[in-house]
Amino acid sequence: MLCKNLLHSLNQWLMEIQEIDRETALSGLLDQIPERIKKISEKRDSFLTDTVLLGEIPSPTYGEDERIRAVVDRFRENGLSAPNIDEFGNASAHLPGTEGQSSILVMAHADSVFSREVRHEIQVGSGHMSGPGIADNALGLAAMIALPRLLDDLGIRLRDDLILVANSRSLGRANLEGASGFLETMSLPARAGICVEGSTLGRLSYSGLGTLRGEITLQVPSDYDWKRFGASGAISHVTGLINQIREIPIPKEPKTQLVFGGLRCGSSFNTSPKQGTLRFEITSEDDDIIGQMEDQLNEICEQFSAETGTLVSMEVVAKRQNCSIPFTHPLVKTTRSIMQEAGITPKVDPSTGDLNALILSGLPAVTLGLTTVENLREINETVQLDPLYAGMTQLVSLIQAIDQGICDS
Amino acid sequence: MNKINENWLERNTFHHADFWDLIKLVEEKENKGLKISLCIPTLNEEKTIGKEVLILRSELMERYPLIDEFAVIDSGSKDKTLEVAKNYGADVYLASDILPEVGDKRGKGENLWKAIHQLKGDIICYVDADISNIHPRFVYGLVAPLIHRDEISYVKAFYDRPLNYSSGLRPSGGGRVTEILIRPLFSLFFPELSHIIQPLSGEYAARREVLEKIPFPIGYGVETSHLLDLYAMHGLETFAQTDLDRRVHRNQTTNALGKMSFGILQTFFNRLHAQGKLDRMPDLETFYRRFEVEEGKYHQLVQEVIEEERPPMIDIEGYRNRMASS
């Protein structure tokens, strides 16, 4: 009994020492932040250039090849180990650590919501840059690529290997295919992961929100009886369908949301369209609620189809489970401390992006945003440069904190 | 087309991708002890100058030290051109402050000319400020032939200006002024110079030793005069040209092109006059020379265009007889 108590006390003592070590290491790291913001602002040209050069290569989801090749070229030029494009279309490379016992994964998605037909031209002003997809996610991609040179410029040698990944097939229908594929085949054990997004400074995501994205297609069949009571074209029917969907009760707790994100129907002034497509997304903190709402949507589609003589089908294009690491996890706590020291106000924002894939794979991970952004996902998407240097500093400092074991649970 | 010229097109026409290995290019530049200056002439270019300075400086001075000096020479912009250029690290000069004793003339050629005095490089590369798809190739594609080949002293850019993608065979040429003014003039008076695919392109690199020996029209005629004067001094062998792919820039109005053509014609006829070609007109060439590109290879098309003429109808006997009988 005495021996057990002694062991318990020894263990507690060791944990306290470990905690003190961690706090001392973190404090040392936080002290360097103001100086780092200045240094990073002086070294900005390289990552601003990559933001422009990569941002001007169109990279719609499933069409990222050219941008991914440019990323691999940069990995090579920066002297990284094992630059590679995998079977999922992701580009990855390693910066070997001094010990290499473990690794830190930094990921930025390479795809954009803008199609190839959009003119991908980035404009550069004194204090801002703008153009389609610059914030989401040319800037995140360029920041990830810049890390080895920035670490070197700041005199930081990591013990862990740094694994850099530009992941393809993240957005929309792709359902995180690239990130999930990479994690499935990743050989090195990772200590933690960071997803990098251009938007928005202060973003702190440590949970992935349960999500279902779907597309409902309504077709007026060729043998449709236009004389029947209530007969109409696809637009009226889709409107009726939307009204029925809006009758589905949406709970406030657990937090749940249904968003209609797109509607395509018709092409002229005077012809009733025969087909309409409705895109929607359900997000909820409870996976069961998502499941129940999916069932309800299927029932509505079926009933609507039978009652109106139209053909209604629903396709689920992406589905993600809820996942999270605790708010008190050292990775989250450390990120908050770094943000505060860098003058960034943390804003907790559950992710529906690549973070889900990382956390579901068992990796403690967060998503960070790099700067303030205007007109997100518009042609004139604009990123401000002044806040960017604090955003880059938080990223570099968090990597160093992970490397020093400050973020281990 | 004679054999020597055909061979010139093959030997002295490059594609920027030929010079992708920038480490090798920088090594050769250093081995030869060459210094390279980049000059961007500006007048109210705040929308595009930031991107040009950022990308070219970051890639070609910091990442690959190909350029030793980066200058923006301005004609007195009223917008934020100078502030933006300085913010991204360019050396900024007002043309009027350079060689003040010779006075100040307003025009792009003035800035290019004064750059020779202000900049220190053995090679000066000129790039226009209005390129919205700027890329390092716009510079390394032009200076590389000068680094690799000592006999070349002047390298011009040409671009992809697709007019017809569908057939796989497309005419390749310059803008409207090139096609309807310069190429016909060159075909008539200086057939060899018609090998230059885009004689009016605003991007070129040249050795100091040739730039310092030629006059510079300050306005629209500067590119034409460079070609005519250097051709007269050194022949076609001194030139090379590099395909820089696509260039996106502002489109000019037809009125502006008319003004440009008027300036170019002044320069052109001044040269003809100086070379005695105007007073003692030679027999005019009847071969019109233009280009087409097939599977990435450029070929010159030579077409005989003889403008035969009929006499006044009144000189025709049959006509006179018909008129007399009616």
Side-chain angles (χ1 to χ4, degrees), chain A residues 64-77:
Chain A
E64 307 95 337
D65 308 21
E66 194 185 342
R67 192 180 280 186
I68 285 290
R69 280 198 302 275
V71 171
V72 169
D73 286 345
R74 273 298 194 237
F75 284 157
R76 280 201 190 97
E77 288 175 281

PDB file of all heavy atoms in Angstrom, chain A residues 64-77:
ATOM      1  N   GLU A  64      -7.429  19.441 -60.204  1.00  0.00           N
ATOM      2  CA  GLU A  64      -6.338  20.157 -59.518  1.00  0.00           C
ATOM      3  C   GLU A  64      -4.962  19.843 -60.070  1.00  0.00           C
ATOM      4  O   GLU A  64      -3.965  20.393 -59.587  1.00  0.00           O
ATOM      5  CB  GLU A  64      -6.318  19.796 -58.015  1.00  0.00           C
ATOM      6  CG  GLU A  64      -7.612  19.977 -57.256  1.00  0.00           C
ATOM      7  CD  GLU A  64      -8.429  18.699 -57.173  1.00  0.00           C
ATOM      8  OE1 GLU A  64      -8.245  17.802 -58.037  1.00  0.00           O
ATOM      9  OE2 GLU A  64      -9.255  18.586 -56.260  1.00  0.00           O
ATOM     10  N   ASP A  65      -4.864  18.985 -61.102  1.00  0.00           N
ATOM     11  CA  ASP A  65      -3.572  18.426 -61.531  1.00  0.00           C
ATOM     12  C   ASP A  65      -2.478  19.475 -61.740  1.00  0.00           C
ATOM     13  O   ASP A  65      -1.360  19.318 -61.263  1.00  0.00           O
ATOM     14  CB  ASP A  65      -3.705  17.643 -62.845  1.00  0.00           C
ATOM     15  CG  ASP A  65      -4.798  16.608 -62.780  1.00  0.00           C
ATOM     16  OD1 ASP A  65      -5.689  16.757 -61.917  1.00  0.00           O
ATOM     17  OD2 ASP A  65      -4.769  15.681 -63.588  1.00  0.00           O
ATOM     18  N   GLU A  66      -2.814  20.561 -62.464  1.00  0.00           N
ATOM     19  CA  GLU A  66      -1.773  21.528 -62.812  1.00  0.00           C
ATOM     20  C   GLU A  66      -1.278  22.247 -61.564  1.00  0.00           C
ATOM     21  O   GLU A  66      -0.067  22.457 -61.385  1.00  0.00           O
ATOM     22  CB  GLU A  66      -2.318  22.535 -63.833  1.00  0.00           C
ATOM     23  CG  GLU A  66      -1.217  23.337 -64.494  1.00  0.00           C
ATOM     24  CD  GLU A  66      -1.748  24.429 -65.413  1.00  0.00           C
ATOM     25  OE1 GLU A  66      -2.918  24.374 -65.804  1.00  0.00           O
ATOM     26  OE2 GLU A  66      -0.960  25.363 -65.706  1.00  0.00           O
ATOM     27  N   ARG A  67      -2.199  22.604 -60.685  1.00  0.00           N
ATOM     28  CA  ARG A  67      -1.780  23.300 -59.457  1.00  0.00           C
ATOM     29  C   ARG A  67      -0.955  22.347 -58.578  1.00  0.00           C
ATOM     30  O   ARG A  67       0.043  22.743 -57.993  1.00  0.00           O
ATOM     31  CB  ARG A  67      -2.999  23.830 -58.694  1.00  0.00           C
ATOM     32  CG  ARG A  67      -2.609  24.778 -57.591  1.00  0.00           C
ATOM     33  CD  ARG A  67      -3.803  25.304 -56.823  1.00  0.00           C
ATOM     34  NE  ARG A  67      -4.492  26.394 -57.501  1.00  0.00           N
ATOM     35  CZ  ARG A  67      -5.498  27.074 -56.945  1.00  0.00           C
ATOM     36  NH1 ARG A  67      -5.931  26.766 -55.735  1.00  0.00           N
ATOM     37  NH2 ARG A  67      -6.102  28.051 -57.595  1.00  0.00           N
ATOM     38  N   ILE A  68      -1.360  21.090 -58.547  1.00  0.00           N
ATOM     39  CA  ILE A  68      -0.630  20.105 -57.735  1.00  0.00           C
ATOM     40  C   ILE A  68       0.786  19.914 -58.280  1.00  0.00           C
ATOM     41  O   ILE A  68       1.749  19.833 -57.517  1.00  0.00           O
ATOM     42  CB  ILE A  68      -1.423  18.765 -57.703  1.00  0.00           C
ATOM     43  CG1 ILE A  68      -2.634  18.895 -56.767  1.00  0.00           C
ATOM     44  CG2 ILE A  68      -0.539  17.594 -57.305  1.00  0.00           C
ATOM     45  CD1 ILE A  68      -2.322  18.984 -55.295  1.00  0.00           C
ATOM     46  N   ARG A  69       0.929  19.896 -59.618  1.00  0.00           N
ATOM     47  CA  ARG A  69       2.280  19.760 -60.200  1.00  0.00           C
ATOM     48  C   ARG A  69       3.148  20.956 -59.821  1.00  0.00           C
ATOM     49  O   ARG A  69       4.336  20.814 -59.511  1.00  0.00           O
ATOM     50  CB  ARG A  69       2.203  19.626 -61.729  1.00  0.00           C
ATOM     51  CG  ARG A  69       1.839  18.222 -62.198  1.00  0.00           C
ATOM     52  CD  ARG A  69       2.207  18.022 -63.671  1.00  0.00           C
ATOM     53  NE  ARG A  69       1.546  18.981 -64.532  1.00  0.00           N
ATOM     54  CZ  ARG A  69       0.318  18.832 -65.012  1.00  0.00           C
ATOM     55  NH1 ARG A  69      -0.376  17.752 -64.725  1.00  0.00           N
ATOM     56  NH2 ARG A  69      -0.216  19.759 -65.789  1.00  0.00           N
ATOM     57  N   ALA A  70       2.526  22.142 -59.804  1.00  0.00           N
ATOM     58  CA  ALA A  70       3.283  23.348 -59.417  1.00  0.00           C
ATOM     59  C   ALA A  70       3.721  23.260 -57.946  1.00  0.00           C
ATOM     60  O   ALA A  70       4.817  23.690 -57.591  1.00  0.00           O
ATOM     61  CB  ALA A  70       2.433  24.593 -59.644  1.00  0.00           C
ATOM     62  N   VAL A  71       2.877  22.680 -57.115  1.00  0.00           N
ATOM     63  CA  VAL A  71       3.235  22.524 -55.692  1.00  0.00           C
ATOM     64  C   VAL A  71       4.428  21.570 -55.560  1.00  0.00           C
ATOM     65  O   VAL A  71       5.389  21.850 -54.833  1.00  0.00           O
ATOM     66  CB  VAL A  71       2.029  21.988 -54.872  1.00  0.00           C
ATOM     67  CG1 VAL A  71       2.458  21.628 -53.461  1.00  0.00           C
ATOM     68  CG2 VAL A  71       0.916  23.027 -54.823  1.00  0.00           C
ATOM     69  N   VAL A  72       4.382  20.465 -56.291  1.00  0.00           N
ATOM     70  CA  VAL A  72       5.497  19.502 -56.219  1.00  0.00           C
ATOM     71  C   VAL A  72       6.799  20.135 -56.710  1.00  0.00           C
ATOM     72  O   VAL A  72       7.862  19.917 -56.123  1.00  0.00           O
ATOM     73  CB  VAL A  72       5.157  18.219 -57.021  1.00  0.00           C
ATOM     74  CG1 VAL A  72       6.375  17.345 -57.196  1.00  0.00           C
ATOM     75  CG2 VAL A  72       4.091  17.434 -56.279  1.00  0.00           C
ATOM     76  N   ASP A  73       6.694  20.962 -57.770  1.00  0.00           N
ATOM     77  CA  ASP A  73       7.900  21.679 -58.242  1.00  0.00           C
ATOM     78  C   ASP A  73       8.466  22.540 -57.120  1.00  0.00           C
ATOM     79  O   ASP A  73       9.683  22.587 -56.909  1.00  0.00           O
ATOM     80  CB  ASP A  73       7.572  22.576 -59.446  1.00  0.00           C
ATOM     81  CG  ASP A  73       7.361  21.771 -60.712  1.00  0.00           C
ATOM     82  OD1 ASP A  73       7.751  20.591 -60.720  1.00  0.00           O
ATOM     83  OD2 ASP A  73       6.792  22.323 -61.676  1.00  0.00           O
ATOM     84  N   ARG A  74       7.585  23.223 -56.404  1.00  0.00           N
ATOM     85  CA  ARG A  74       8.041  24.071 -55.295  1.00  0.00           C
ATOM     86  C   ARG A  74       8.685  23.221 -54.182  1.00  0.00           C
ATOM     87  O   ARG A  74       9.703  23.611 -53.613  1.00  0.00           O
ATOM     88  CB  ARG A  74       6.881  24.859 -54.698  1.00  0.00           C
ATOM     89  CG  ARG A  74       6.627  26.146 -55.397  1.00  0.00           C
ATOM     90  CD  ARG A  74       7.852  27.060 -55.276  1.00  0.00           C
ATOM     91  NE  ARG A  74       7.550  28.412 -55.637  1.00  0.00           N
ATOM     92  CZ  ARG A  74       8.160  29.123 -56.583  1.00  0.00           C
ATOM     93  NH1 ARG A  74       9.100  28.575 -57.321  1.00  0.00           N
ATOM     94  NH2 ARG A  74       7.850  30.378 -56.802  1.00  0.00           N
ATOM     95  N   PHE A  75       8.056  22.093 -53.878  1.00  0.00           N
ATOM     96  CA  PHE A  75       8.639  21.195 -52.862  1.00  0.00           C
ATOM     97  C   PHE A  75      10.073  20.834 -53.267  1.00  0.00           C
ATOM     98  O   PHE A  75      10.983  20.855 -52.461  1.00  0.00           O
ATOM     99  CB  PHE A  75       7.816  19.916 -52.720  1.00  0.00           C
ATOM    100  CG  PHE A  75       6.516  20.065 -51.960  1.00  0.00           C
ATOM    101  CD1 PHE A  75       5.470  19.164 -52.159  1.00  0.00           C
ATOM    102  CD2 PHE A  75       6.333  21.079 -51.032  1.00  0.00           C
ATOM    103  CE1 PHE A  75       4.276  19.273 -51.453  1.00  0.00           C
ATOM    104  CE2 PHE A  75       5.142  21.209 -50.324  1.00  0.00           C
ATOM    105  CZ  PHE A  75       4.106  20.302 -50.540  1.00  0.00           C
ATOM    106  N   ARG A  76      10.248  20.516 -54.561  1.00  0.00           N
ATOM    107  CA  ARG A  76      11.587  20.138 -55.056  1.00  0.00           C
ATOM    108  C   ARG A  76      12.540  21.320 -54.936  1.00  0.00           C
ATOM    109  O   ARG A  76      13.657  21.175 -54.447  1.00  0.00           O
ATOM    110  CB  ARG A  76      11.513  19.720 -56.522  1.00  0.00           C
ATOM    111  CG  ARG A  76      11.024  18.330 -56.698  1.00  0.00           C
ATOM    112  CD  ARG A  76      11.423  17.737 -58.054  1.00  0.00           C
ATOM    113  NE  ARG A  76      10.694  16.496 -58.199  1.00  0.00           N
ATOM    114  CZ  ARG A  76       9.554  16.377 -58.869  1.00  0.00           C
ATOM    115  NH1 ARG A  76       9.052  17.417 -59.511  1.00  0.00           N
ATOM    116  NH2 ARG A  76       8.920  15.229 -58.927  1.00  0.00           N
ATOM    117  N   GLU A  77      12.078  22.488 -55.396  1.00  0.00           N
ATOM    118  CA  GLU A  77      12.945  23.671 -55.358  1.00  0.00           C
ATOM    119  C   GLU A  77      13.349  24.015 -53.925  1.00  0.00           C
ATOM    120  O   GLU A  77      14.427  24.529 -53.688  1.00  0.00           O
ATOM    121  CB  GLU A  77      12.218  24.875 -55.971  1.00  0.00           C
ATOM    122  CG  GLU A  77      12.058  24.797 -57.470  1.00  0.00           C
ATOM    123  CD  GLU A  77      11.227  25.943 -58.012  1.00  0.00           C
ATOM    124  OE1 GLU A  77       9.994  25.883 -57.905  1.00  0.00           O
ATOM    125  OE2 GLU A  77      11.801  26.902 -58.527  1.00  0.00           O
TER     126      GLU A  77
END
